[in-house]
Amino acid sequence: MTRMSTPCSVLRLLAMCVVLIPPRFVRAQAASSPAKLSVHWEELTASDFREGIRRSQGTCLLPFGILEKHGPHLPLGTDLLDVRYAALRAAEDEYAVVFPEYYFGQIAEARHEPGTMAYSRQIQLALLQETTDEMARNGCNKVLIVNGHGGNNSLLPYFAQTQLDKPHDYVIYVFDERTPQHGGPPKKTTIDMHAGESETSKMTIAHPELVHPERATSESGADLARQKLPEGVYTGIWWYTRFPNHYSGDGSAATKELGEFQMKWWIDSVVKAIRAVKADDVSIKLQNEFYEKGTHPLDTQP
Ligand SMILES: [Zn+2]
């Protein structure tokens, strides 16, 4: 409508609507906004999805897993299963729409192990960009990537940073913590980077039926430390030089108590992140300012 309505005509229109809308229709509209909404994107109807986006204030979670060997005793989808467990519970606590299973990340270092799905770097970046673009097109103007996989530690900040290359009408947030640094039941092992005490403990909470503790010592998760390079010199093969079995630590040290503590910490941390993202109106504002300045850099003054 281009013509301005006078207050009088607005009132008349409202009065007409009250007369014209049958009460049954009003009830149907109310019934279409259920009190409890699923947090699972794929479980919502189209109209419930609209309500989910409204309720989440446009904040959507993308839990990011992987398919890779996890020692001799944990399932290939450990990171995917664990991150979804944490993200879904967090979203139930602080409402957000959660994207379905996503596991198209960086895992080149486990290509020598069975069951690893290692997509090329082009696909990783292109698919992630199209996924978040599509999420944003559907109203997710804040996409919180909850990372469940250590091999994505470089990919995700790079992805977020390169959103500055051209304008996007949404913000990418990355939450990349899974294990508390302090507190909880004392740990028995010192090396614990992959499928070890912590990760195995968390899996006993998320999916105890998929943990095979009796197999955990059938392979070595020791640090072979075969590469002699000064600190600060990086190579892609570093992980294999240390942990050729794609296993770091000892999963047999896992306990339910440690799992409960760490999983609760993880869920609570994701809840805090969702709340902070919902409250954040600075990032999109300054991102837009930045994009605009980027179109005429010579005018930017200190
Ligand atoms: Zn893992």
Side-chain angles (χ1 to χ4, degrees):
M1 200 199 303
T2 50
R3 194 166 50 85
M4 286 289 286
S5 305
T6 64
C8 202
S9 66
V10 170
L11 278 177
R12 202 162 39 227
L13 202 65
L14 273 174
M16 268 172 65
C17 286
V18 170
V19 173
L20 292 177
I21 298 171
R24 206 153 29 96
F25 181 74
V26 175
R27 265 203 307 280
Q29 283 293 298
S32 72
S33 297
K36 176 130 177 67
L37 271 185
S38 173
V39 299
H40 296 250
W41 181 301
E42 69 276 21
E43 290 181 3
L44 296 163
T45 64
S47 65
D48 286 351
F49 181 82
R50 189 183 288 126
E51 170 62 14
I53 291 295
R54 193 197 63 76
R55 206 173 285 189
S56 69
Q57 298 159 49
T59 298
C60 303
L61 304 191
L62 178 56
F64 201 142
I66 206 79
L67 293 177
E68 59 166 336
K69 179 187 175 188
H70 268 81
H73 60 294
L74 293 179
L76 297 169
T78 290
D79 289 354
L80 179 66
L81 295 164
D82 270 347
V83 76
R84 291 193 63 78
Y85 183 91
L88 287 164
R89 268 146 198 81
E92 276 156 16
D93 202 358
E94 180 65 42
Y95 191 86
V97 177
V98 182
F99 193 79
E101 274 81 358
Y102 194 92
Y103 50 86
F104 314 103
Q106 194 298 121
I107 186 54
E109 66 274 26
R111 290 186 74 216
H112 62 307
E113 299 287 5
T116 301
M117 288 300 292
Y119 293 90
S120 68
R121 60 179 138 169
Q122 295 88 331
I123 292 289
Q124 292 165 40
L125 287 166
L127 190 58
L128 188 54
Q129 190 72 68
E130 290 214 6
T131 300
T132 59
D133 284 353
E134 279 296 283
M135 290 173 78
R137 194 177 63 80
N138 281 287
C140 303
N141 50 34
K142 295 173 173 181
V143 176
L144 174 57
I145 301 176
V146 182
N147 186 28
H149 167 56
N152 285 339
N153 289 1
S154 300
L155 171 72
L156 292 176
Y158 178 74
F159 177 70
Q161 200 164 25
T162 51
Q163 298 306 299
L164 300 181
D165 63 354
K166 60 175 183 291
H168 298 271
D169 58 358
Y170 64 98
V171 179
I172 293 284
Y173 301 81
V174 178
F175 181 70
D176 197 9
E177 301 285 339
R178 291 171 289 283
T179 310
Q181 297 301 316
H182 312 284
K187 282 174 59 177
K188 292 172 250 172
T189 58
T190 47
I191 293 173
D192 182 26
M193 292 164 74
H194 187 62
E197 185 178 0
S198 291
E199 204 168 19
T200 307
S201 295
K202 280 200 276 281
M203 199 59 177
T204 64
I205 303 304
H207 287 277
E209 75 284 7
L210 300 178
V211 182
H212 308 282
E214 73 286 357
R215 301 187 204 169
T217 52
S218 65
E219 289 177 15
S220 170
D223 186 353
L224 300 191
R226 294 179 291 183
Q227 201 179 39
K228 308 292 175 214
L229 289 170
E231 214 175 310
V233 177
Y234 182 91
T235 66
I237 197 70
W238 75 272
W239 176 258
Y240 182 81
T241 66
R242 292 179 64 179
F243 307 106
N245 295 329
H246 206 56
Y247 182 22
S248 163
D250 179 1
S252 73
T255 63
K256 203 161 174 284
E257 292 68 36
L258 185 66
E260 265 162 10
F261 174 77
Q262 292 197 351
M263 194 50 98
K264 184 178 180 317
W265 179 90
W266 194 4
I267 295 166
D268 291 347
S269 302
V270 177
V271 167
K272 276 188 214 152
I274 298 172
R275 288 187 182 141
V277 165
K278 281 183 180 175
D280 174 38
D281 53 7
V282 169
S283 300
I284 190 70
K285 191 168 146 274
L286 292 186
Q287 196 172 281
N288 287 336
E289 179 186 301
F290 173 87
Y291 290 139
E292 200 283 321
K293 282 186 173 179
T295 63
H296 48 93
L298 295 188
D299 296 333
T300 300
Q301 301 293 338

